[in-house]
Amino acid sequence: MISFTLNKEKVSYDVDPNMPLLYVLRDVAQKTGTKFGCGAGQCGACTVHVDGTPIRSCLTPVSAIADKSITTIEGLADGEKLHPVQQAWVDNNVPQCGYCQSGQIMSAVALLAENASPSEADIETYMQGNICRCGTYPRIKKAIQQAAVQMQEVK
Amino acid sequence: MSQVNIVSRRQFLKSTGMVGGAFILGGALPGCSEKAVESGAADVAKAAAKNVISELGYFVSIASDGAVNIICHRMEMGQGILTSVPQMIADELEADWSKVSVTLAKGDPKYGHQSTGGSGSIRNFYDYTRKMGALAKDMLEQAAANRWGVDKSAVKAENHSIVKVGTNEKFGFGELAEDASQLPVPDLDSLELKDKKDFKIIGKDVKLLGQEKIVQGTATYAQDIQVPGMLIASIERPPVIMGKVKSFDATEAKKVAGVVDVIQLRERSLPMNVWPSGGVAVLATNTWAAHQARQKLKIEWDHGANAAHNTEAYKKDLMANVSKKGSVARSAGDVYAHEYDPNKTVEATYFMPYHHHMSMETPAATAYQEGDKWVVWTGTQTPQWGKRMVLEELGLEPEADADKVELNTTLMGGAFGRKGKNDFTIEAVELAKATGKPVKVVWTREDDVKHGFYHATAANYYKAEVSDGGKADNWIQRVSHPQIAWMFNPASEAPDTGAMSQSFADNPFDLKNLSCEAAKTPTHLRIGWLRAVHNIHNAYAMGCFVDELAAKSGISTQQMWLNLLGEDRVIDPTTQGFEGWNNYGNNDEAHALSTARMKNTINYLCEQAGVNEKTADNEGWGISYATSFNSYAAAATKVRVVDNKVEVLEMHTAIDCGVVVTPDRVKSQMEGAMIMGLSIALKSEITVKDGAVEQGNFHDYVVSRINEVPELNVHMVDSQEAPGGVGEPGLPPIVPSIVNAIFHASGIRIRELPVNKTLTIA
Ligand code: FES
Ligand code: FES
């Protein structure tokens, strides 16, 4: 039995401790917002936060996050109110197919937590691990910059 | 607020308090004009629900509070049709966009054409789709006229209401919907469409539908479907196409906790078509167990004849094929009678490797039985074709048994042509039938890369002699590539007219002597449509060749394009013997191939991008152009090359795609095409060894990442022409623009892709 906090809720699951967190989230917890893209740490689609730090859930055995706090894309908004990064995504019409965007947003939120006003180069460096085959990169850059400004104003 | 209901219409009805009730009207299709049919549950439902939902034709339903839900019958893969279809319908309906939501359709012929490919949703169904809005509007107007006891001509739709002309009296859509739904459905031919100048939603920057769900992780993709008691299937498929399982041992696999069954998929007869390719499936209660156990399978394969397929040898064959005269698809004059002056002649062969779609979401589908009905959930571009295949798989009659299969669709996490093939959908059905349990088939990334329907690798040969004015009079072009048609007909042995209609034998140049030739080429891999299809390699070769001719003539590439295109005129390749030319299915005046539009797009691009500026010595601009899917697209790229290292600095696309419905999504498609073109030009490549694809994931089928993408600019030509395609036409000119830019920056001519075989990429 492995217990952790999932989007502020305490959960426990009886699963193979080697099972990557991604499959625990998707198959067992039925939180399908976190996506499978490569299963090999190469694309970032499966990015979630463990105690605020972004990790690739496809490579993280669930045992490694026991008793920790996990935030997934579903846990980002404050009820009806979108997180400023999510809002910036909507304002800039970032998603095309949308499939990579959970991971992109989770990475972007982590970036802004580390660096409140990232330069374009900072964004490129930080976001390199998240692939978008549809090609939404220019808008991701814009949205992160917009969210950065908005989050500064709120502070 | 606009919202999206992607899962199913049924769920929409459920969420608003109605299930299976309302008033179902038949006949939204041309030629049908059925009477209103009240469903049996209607009265009960009416009593039970305050907010009654009424259906006006198959596409529009209106709740009594005025909320409008529109069916999007075309499939969404990132191109934005989930907004564009509602825009077209809502504008004709005179609906308030903020009250519009959308539901993705099931696969059902009642919606008309649903196969979403060939950049056709707006290009081919612009009027049809708008009529679905006009139809609902007409019914609301009639209902209002009846209430007022006036003729329909005395009322009109305006801002989500029907008003009595010349008065302040009006009824909201919600007040009229129930009455309207009981009226006969009007004849489509009787409906008038709005004049462009009156559009309020079409062509405007409206709020896109569906984005909120995506950013919250609540949008549903095929991978996300969950059904109680379902098993997850992970399948080991034959590494070589048409290979077979000789024998297998599942002892170890079955020991993995969570594994329920191991089943060999059946061998299928030829042609392969788009049916599954067999193999051995592990079924487990969770994805992890299925994948783990699959690695423990011991399978002995019979690889079959295609195991002799190797990229290096095959490439040599393609190059050799185009070095000699092929079968002539189109000709003018006699190119072989001319004596070519070696000082003025350019002869070049261009090579492009196989490519893969690499959609972020790998294929997935779920199938189960519910009573005597089969329910399928899949992310497919072709829901009706998929449904017909499901019926066939289950041994059911295509028409008589159509109601026994419900094919539900989800958003696709990218598709690019791959998900037009329903092999994965059928795998789910086959396994659900075999186990008697709900089954979701999920493909790993390796499955996706190794068992795709690849973009045809190709060799394109060009030879022409430049004349003094910077033109050409003698022009030979040849192509050799494996064929999509071979999937359906193994007798297909050379590029067909459909393939040659894609930036090959539709050559728009004003040439005295021309020969367009195709070479016999065997096929040894599943070949499929990939965004823009044969335009990718044909436009790459032709775009590079024009650049080479310009260099030979000492004029700009822009000028060479203009010279070759010649006078303003309409191109009709059938006049030079290319009888099979299909102009993407639209051989009509509205879609005539116009050199004026080509030249205008090229000039607009060059002016907007500033390609004629003086650049630093190690920098250069490259341009190219291609017509495809009835749209006109030109691209410009600026690069820097230092010490054989290429850095892409800036990219531009200009497009004339006729009347635009969703401007932002045209822009986003152009952006996506530039980035995909960057991958194809610089680094992506599928290779085959002993019949099997060598790549498996993002580390070896490499696509562009955020740090590799330069500033992107999209320039839309203001056009009132009939709508052309958008999803694909942006891509073909990109690759040659990059390759040409490298030449202008460095003098290095690259005729073999990807570029990283020759140069380093920054
Ligand atoms: S799925 Fe985890 S990084 Fe790609
Ligand atoms: S939006 Fe489709 S992969 Fe990023």
Side-chain angles (χ1 to χ4, degrees):
Chain A
M1 198 61 108
I2 291 173
S3 305
F4 56 97
T5 305
L6 176 55
N7 298 331
K8 303 207 176 94
E9 226 176 273
K10 292 243 174 288
V11 294
S12 301
Y13 298 113
D14 184 12
V15 291
D16 177 347
N18 291 321
M19 189 188 288
L21 175 59
L22 173 66
Y23 299 117
V24 178
L25 291 173
R26 291 182 53 83
D27 289 0
V28 185
Q30 309 224 329
K31 290 260 180 291
T32 55
T34 306
K35 303 301 185 198
F36 168 87
C38 68
Q42 297 176 5
C43 77
C46 65
T47 307
V48 301
H49 296 177
V50 178
D51 296 335
T53 305
I55 55 127
R56 306 294 187 228
S57 64
C58 68
L59 290 184
T60 309
V62 64
S63 57
I65 58 98
D67 302 324
K68 300 199 164 137
S69 174
I70 307 299
T71 307
T72 69
I73 189 73
E74 292 97 336
L76 222 47
D78 182 4
E80 289 286 286
K81 195 172 156 33
L82 296 180
H83 184 284
V85 171
Q86 291 172 314
Q87 189 58 51
W89 247 245
V90 172
D91 293 346
N92 288 282
N93 290 338
V94 173
Q96 287 188 29
C97 81
Y99 192 81
C100 73
Q101 302 296 347
S102 301
Q104 304 278 5
I105 290 170
M106 295 313 286
S107 290
V109 169
L111 161 63
L112 292 172
E114 256 177 53
N115 179 349
S117 53
S119 67
E120 193 174 333
D122 293 339
I123 295 174
E124 289 186 355
T125 306
Y126 199 92
M127 300 294 294
Q128 262 181 49
N130 287 84
I131 293 175
C132 174
R133 180 60 158 162
C134 294
T136 63
Y137 301 133
R139 294 182 189 220
I140 287 174
K141 285 189 209 168
K142 254 198 234 156
I144 292 177
Q145 278 157 344
Q146 180 194 312
V149 172
Q150 266 158 13
M151 288 163 78
Q152 294 277 353
E153 280 168 4
V154 172
K155 278 181 196 157
Chain B
M1 195 171 85
S2 303
Q3 53 142 354
V4 70
N5 224 295
I6 290 157
V7 172
S8 73
R9 185 167 182 79
R10 190 178 182 81
Q11 206 175 68
F12 170 75
L13 296 173
K14 230 187 234 166
S15 67
T16 45
M18 286 264 314
V19 180
F23 309 94
I24 313 297
L25 289 192
L29 302 180
C32 304
S33 183
E34 294 169 22
K35 290 256 183 271
V37 184
E38 227 172 304
S39 82
D43 288 343
V44 186
K46 200 155 62 173
K50 282 191 218 87
N51 197 15
V52 177
I53 314 285
S54 306
E55 300 195 359
L56 309 176
Y58 290 132
F59 288 75
V60 177
S61 62
I62 303 181
S64 43
D65 67 359
V68 169
N69 184 259
I70 293 175
I71 290 280
C72 179
H73 63 308
R74 313 281 303 174
M75 298 295 111
E76 176 63 58
M77 60 194 107
Q79 80 278 41
I81 202 66
L82 205 58
T83 297
S84 305
V85 161
Q87 269 182 287
M88 291 188 272
I89 292 177
D91 205 327
E92 292 294 339
L93 178 62
E94 298 296 349
D96 172 350
W97 186 248
S98 69
K99 298 197 172 87
V100 172
S101 65
V102 61
T103 297
L104 201 51
K106 297 180 200 309
D108 192 328
K110 76 180 182 188
Y111 296 121
H113 193 280
Q114 287 186 280
S115 288
T116 311
S119 299
S121 293
I122 297 174
R123 181 170 78 88
N124 296 330
F125 305 104
Y126 179 58
D127 287 352
Y128 171 84
T129 309
R130 287 189 295 144
K131 286 225 165 168
M132 298 305 138
L135 175 146
K137 179 183 78 171
D138 187 90
M139 293 168 80
L140 291 164
E141 285 177 341
Q142 188 60 59
N146 292 353
R147 281 211 200 162
W148 282 312
V150 299
D151 188 78
K152 192 156 63 92
S153 61
V155 310
K156 69 169 191 198
E158 214 177 83
N159 191 25
H160 226 78
S161 307
I162 306 295
V163 299
K164 194 162 155 196
V165 178
T167 74
N168 288 329
E169 290 178 59
K170 63 178 178 183
F171 291 113
F173 282 0
E175 295 172 84
L176 295 168
E178 198 177 334
D179 282 2
S181 69
Q182 297 177 61
L183 296 170
V185 173
D187 183 4
L188 285 194
D189 291 337
S190 73
L191 300 170
E192 268 180 46
L193 293 172
K194 284 169 75 168
D195 191 284
K196 285 198 264 279
K197 69 175 182 351
D198 300 324
F199 286 160
K200 299 186 187 71
I201 300 174
I202 293 173
K204 305 290 186 275
D205 274 318
V206 297
K207 188 172 163 44
L208 302 180
L209 302 181
Q211 300 264 309
E212 272 90 355
K213 283 206 165 194
I214 288 171
V215 302
Q216 294 179 85
T218 52
T220 305
Y221 299 86
Q223 287 273 359
D224 302 333
I225 297 296
Q226 314 260 358
V227 179
M230 79 179 178
L231 300 176
I232 309 284
S234 181
I235 303 172
E236 191 70 27
R237 298 171 187 82
V240 180
I241 62 162
M242 293 158 64
K244 292 179 168 60
V245 176
K246 254 197 242 163
S247 64
F248 72 99
D249 175 359
T251 320
E252 293 303 312
K254 283 186 173 164
K255 288 182 189 158
V256 174
V259 170
V260 174
D261 211 344
V262 174
I263 292 175
Q264 182 180 345
L265 285 105
R266 63 193 174 81
E267 279 171 22
R268 302 202 175 236
S269 52
L270 295 175
M272 280 184 295
N273 198 300
V274 296
W275 293 98
S277 40
V280 180
V282 175
L283 296 112
T285 52
N286 66 74
T287 311
W288 174 242
H291 291 336
Q292 289 299 103
R294 181 178 148 196
Q295 287 174 16
K296 297 186 163 28
L297 288 173
K298 293 190 190 76
I299 306 176
E300 224 191 303
W301 301 102
D302 170 2
H303 292 307
N306 291 302
H309 178 32
N310 284 288
T311 297
E312 273 315 307
Y314 192 66
K315 176 177 158 191
K316 285 201 188 96
D317 290 347
L318 298 191
M319 303 291 270
N321 289 345
V322 295
S323 70
K324 48 188 190 280
K325 190 174 177 185
S327 75
V328 178
R330 175 180 167 193
S331 69
D334 186 355
V335 290
Y336 292 101
H338 183 71
E339 205 156 309
Y340 291 80
D341 175 349
N343 293 320
K344 292 184 181 171
T345 301
V346 182
E347 192 174 6
T349 303
Y350 303 91
F351 177 78
M352 181 174 276
Y354 289 116
H355 281 285
H356 180 56
H357 309 76
M358 215 66 176
S359 319
M360 285 307 296
E361 183 196 25
T362 55
T366 302
Y368 54 95
Q369 228 173 340
E370 205 177 63
D372 57 1
K373 186 171 175 177
W374 278 88
V375 181
V376 176
W377 286 90
T378 183
T380 178
Q381 294 174 242
T382 53
Q384 291 179 30
W385 184 11
K387 180 168 168 170
R388 288 195 300 274
M389 287 176 70
V390 173
L391 284 158
E392 188 177 337
E393 175 68 13
L394 294 168
L396 297 169
E397 290 299 322
E399 276 168 30
D401 293 330
D403 289 345
K404 292 188 183 150
V405 170
E406 177 180 294
L407 188 130
N408 299 295
T409 64
T410 65
L411 293 183
M412 284 172 273
F416 309 114
R418 166 64 181 92
K419 293 171 186 167
K421 323 288 194 318
N422 279 294
D423 52 334
F424 54 97
T425 308
I426 298 304
E427 286 175 340
V429 173
E430 181 179 346
L431 292 169
K433 193 178 172 194
T435 56
K437 299 211 172 69
V439 170
K440 172 159 82 173
V441 168
V442 294
W443 288 43
T444 64
R445 177 56 62 190
E446 287 74 15
D447 294 339
D448 177 53
V449 174
K450 291 182 183 298
H451 304 282
F453 292 82
Y454 304 91
H455 172 66
T457 177
N460 281 68
Y461 166 94
Y462 282 81
K463 178 177 179 178
E465 181 188 273
V466 294
S467 51
D468 289 340
K471 256 199 94 215
D473 291 324
N474 288 279
W475 182 291
I476 303 171
Q477 57 181 57
R478 300 177 187 143
V479 69
S480 173
H481 59 71
Q483 299 105 50
I484 295 169
W486 178 83
M487 304 290 308
F488 307 96
N489 173 18
S492 168
E493 55 177 14
D496 58 24
T497 54
M500 285 190 287
S501 293
Q502 300 170 34
S503 299
F504 186 73
D506 54 347
N507 180 322
F509 298 149
D510 181 16
L511 302 160
K512 259 193 215 116
N513 301 306
L514 166 70
S515 186
C516 304
E517 304 163 12
K520 263 195 190 178
T521 314
T523 304
H524 298 296
L525 200 60
R526 297 204 296 189
I527 304 298
W529 310 285
L530 188 154
R531 194 183 201 172
V533 201
H534 292 290
N535 288 290
I536 301 178
H537 61 83
N538 288 331
Y540 146 64
M542 180 140 116
C544 290
F545 188 63
V546 171
D547 194 73
E548 296 208 33
L549 292 180
K552 191 72 151 177
S553 295
I555 59 175
S556 72
T557 311
Q558 176 184 5
Q559 194 57 54
M560 184 49 93
W561 274 99
L562 300 177
N563 292 355
L564 289 168
L565 288 168
E567 297 293 308
D568 289 1
R569 64 196 197 289
V570 164
I571 306 291
D572 181 359
T574 61
T575 60
Q576 293 179 338
F578 186 38
E579 300 296 339
W581 180 60
N582 63 20
N583 201 21
Y584 304 91
N586 287 328
N587 270 326
D588 55 12
E589 219 175 291
H591 297 91
L593 205 47
S594 150
T595 59
R597 290 177 76 186
M598 295 175 194
K599 289 186 290 180
N600 181 53
T601 306
I602 293 167
N603 288 334
Y604 187 58
L605 167 87
C606 292
E607 178 192 307
Q608 293 293 313
V611 302
N612 295 317
E613 65 167 6
K614 184 136 182 51
T615 57
D617 275 354
N618 50 14
E619 294 178 2
W621 280 99
I623 67 161
S624 200
Y625 171 83
T627 316
S628 64
F629 305 91
N630 311 132
S631 284
Y632 301 72
T637 299
K638 186 180 183 180
V639 306
R640 180 185 298 137
V641 183
V642 178
D643 297 336
N644 287 344
K645 197 167 180 184
V646 181
E647 186 186 352
V648 180
L649 303 173
E650 190 178 332
M651 299 176 82
H652 297 254
T653 293
I655 179 143
D656 170 359
C657 55
V659 165
V660 166
V661 173
T662 318
D664 179 77
R665 294 293 89 173
V666 175
K667 199 164 171 268
S668 61
Q669 282 304 296
M670 296 307 118
E671 292 165 358
M674 283 187 258
I675 294 173
M676 188 175 269
L678 205 57
S679 304
I680 291 173
L682 299 182
K683 43 179 64 171
S684 311
E685 177 182 31
I686 291 286
T687 55
V688 177
K689 188 159 188 279
D690 299 333
V693 168
E694 293 186 283
Q695 290 70 26
N697 212 316
F698 287 103
H699 67 284
D700 50 12
Y701 187 77
V702 186
V703 301
S704 299
R705 292 177 182 262
I706 194 167
N707 54 311
E708 297 159 330
V709 172
E711 181 197 321
L712 305 179
N713 304 274
V714 179
H715 312 288
M716 279 154 72
V717 175
D718 187 17
S719 174
Q720 296 306 311
E721 304 287 343
V726 170
E728 293 162 279
L731 184 55
I734 304 299
V735 176
S737 80
I738 297 167
V739 175
N740 294 341
I742 291 172
F743 172 76
H744 292 287
S746 68
I748 300 169
R749 210 33 110 179
I750 291 174
R751 290 175 177 165
E752 237 178 70
L753 295 180
V755 170
N756 72 357
K757 285 195 145 19
T758 315
L759 299 171
T760 317
I761 313 300

